[in-house]
Amino acid sequence: MRRVLFLGMIALTVNSCGVLRPKPTSDIKVTNAKDLIEQIQTIQPSWNTLVMRGSVTALQGDASQRITTSIRIRANELIWVNATMIVPVGRAKIDKTGVSFYEQIGKTFFEGDFSAIEDALGFSLNYAQIENSLRAVPLFESPKRRVRFAVIKDGYILKSRQGNLRLSNTYNQQFMMTKQLLTLGQKRLVIHYSDYQQMSSQWIPMKIRYEGQSKGETAQLEFEFRKAEINTSIRTPFSIPKSYTRI
């Protein structure tokens, strides 16, 4: 069970002194899907690198585990994760070829495709979709046609379908994503976003919670970041020790 939880955590997974946390405001009101999509696109993040430090909690059944994490992202290229629990636990790397990680407690490693993500959350996602899930950007682009638009108390909802896949994206009144929901048959993935910080005119969610349901099982990953930096020089060292055992 610990290995499954670790896999789920590690596979997904201006300096903050100058970061502002004001309440975003907008006087713009939209009345249709086309205008909403255009407003959403104007505020989507455009950083080249992102560094986030905090913790992630994994829940599966009655088991839970919390670790300290540092995530470094190089846009459209690489997600690097370092995990610790008082002592180093392991590192992970996600790029366009797949997922790799090693854990230092059991001295094991994994190298493979994105099936590791599917095992953790129930949905098969590619690299761009995984990165977008951390950017608070839709995993699947909403079409401007055949999309249902609704105004709710605190914002807006866009709903659409791609084949049997049902998509529902919720935004606040400032056009920032607060939730995206994917449903495919009995499988369900919900991603929640909150506690946005503004950095160089870009908004970064500091709390991200994934809830995956598949085959009657539910898994949850909750990231809480206390510090973030954008567009800084980053290092992403990753080398699997030769003595480790493949899993």
Side-chain angles (χ1 to χ4, degrees):
M1 179 62 70
R2 179 180 297 176
R3 182 173 297 170
V4 172
L5 287 171
F6 183 81
L7 175 62
M9 287 186 287
I10 208 75
L12 269 177
T13 72
V14 187
N15 191 286
S16 66
C17 293
V19 169
L20 300 176
R21 225 186 200 114
K23 182 178 180 179
T25 59
S26 175
D27 295 326
I28 300 173
K29 305 296 181 183
V30 299
T31 58
N32 57 71
K34 179 177 179 295
D35 290 346
L36 176 58
I37 292 172
E38 289 177 355
Q39 290 299 324
I40 292 167
Q41 291 174 341
T42 64
I43 67 164
Q44 285 184 347
S46 57
W47 42 259
N48 294 314
T49 64
L50 173 66
V51 177
M52 297 183 288
R53 300 181 180 90
S55 65
V56 58
T57 301
L59 301 173
Q60 191 172 49
D62 295 328
S64 66
Q65 191 168 357
R66 184 176 184 270
I67 61 174
T68 300
T69 57
S70 174
I71 298 179
R72 302 173 188 175
I73 305 175
R74 188 172 289 114
N76 305 313
E77 183 180 339
L78 177 74
I79 300 170
W80 179 93
V81 184
N82 189 65
T84 61
M85 290 193 309
I86 302 177
V87 297
V89 174
R91 283 183 178 171
K93 179 183 69 172
I94 305 173
D95 59 23
K96 294 181 180 180
T97 65
V99 178
S100 301
F101 74 80
Y102 62 89
E103 57 97 0
Q104 294 171 255
I105 297 175
K107 298 187 182 302
T108 61
F109 75 93
F110 171 88
E111 287 183 305
D113 58 20
F114 294 103
S115 60
I117 303 298
E118 185 173 6
D119 290 342
L121 292 176
F123 275 80
S124 178
L125 304 176
N126 60 31
Y127 175 81
Q129 291 166 333
I130 296 167
E131 184 179 310
N132 282 346
S133 76
L134 293 167
R135 284 178 174 265
V137 171
L139 274 63
F140 295 87
E141 185 176 355
S142 297
K144 292 187 178 181
R145 296 181 179 181
R146 297 183 180 180
V147 59
R148 287 184 290 169
F149 166 86
V151 179
I152 58 176
K153 179 180 178 181
D154 298 319
Y156 310 92
I157 296 179
L158 289 177
K159 293 184 177 181
S160 61
R161 296 185 63 168
Q162 293 190 14
N164 293 324
L165 178 64
R166 297 174 181 266
L167 308 171
S168 177
N169 297 331
T170 304
Y171 301 88
N172 63 21
Q173 294 176 345
Q174 293 75 41
F175 314 116
M176 299 174 192
M177 178 175 280
T178 58
K179 182 176 73 174
Q180 54 181 319
L181 166 64
L182 288 71
T183 306
L184 181 63
Q186 299 299 312
K187 297 194 297 184
R188 190 170 185 266
L189 174 62
V190 190
I191 311 174
H192 301 267
Y193 303 93
S194 61
D195 195 20
Y196 277 86
Q197 285 190 3
Q198 188 179 30
M199 304 175 195
S200 302
S201 300
Q202 299 191 51
W203 290 96
I204 308 298
M206 300 299 285
K207 292 185 179 180
I208 305 174
R209 187 172 80 252
Y210 298 79
E211 298 173 0
Q213 184 175 338
S214 177
K215 299 178 181 178
E217 296 185 356
T218 300
Q220 179 174 307
L221 298 174
E222 184 169 2
F223 292 89
E224 293 189 54
F225 301 110
R226 64 180 184 275
K227 182 177 180 180
E229 303 169 74
I230 64 171
N231 297 332
T232 59
S233 177
I234 63 173
R235 296 178 61 252
T236 55
F238 186 86
S239 178
I240 297 173
K242 293 182 179 179
S243 61
Y244 281 23
T245 303
R246 178 186 290 271
I247 59 173

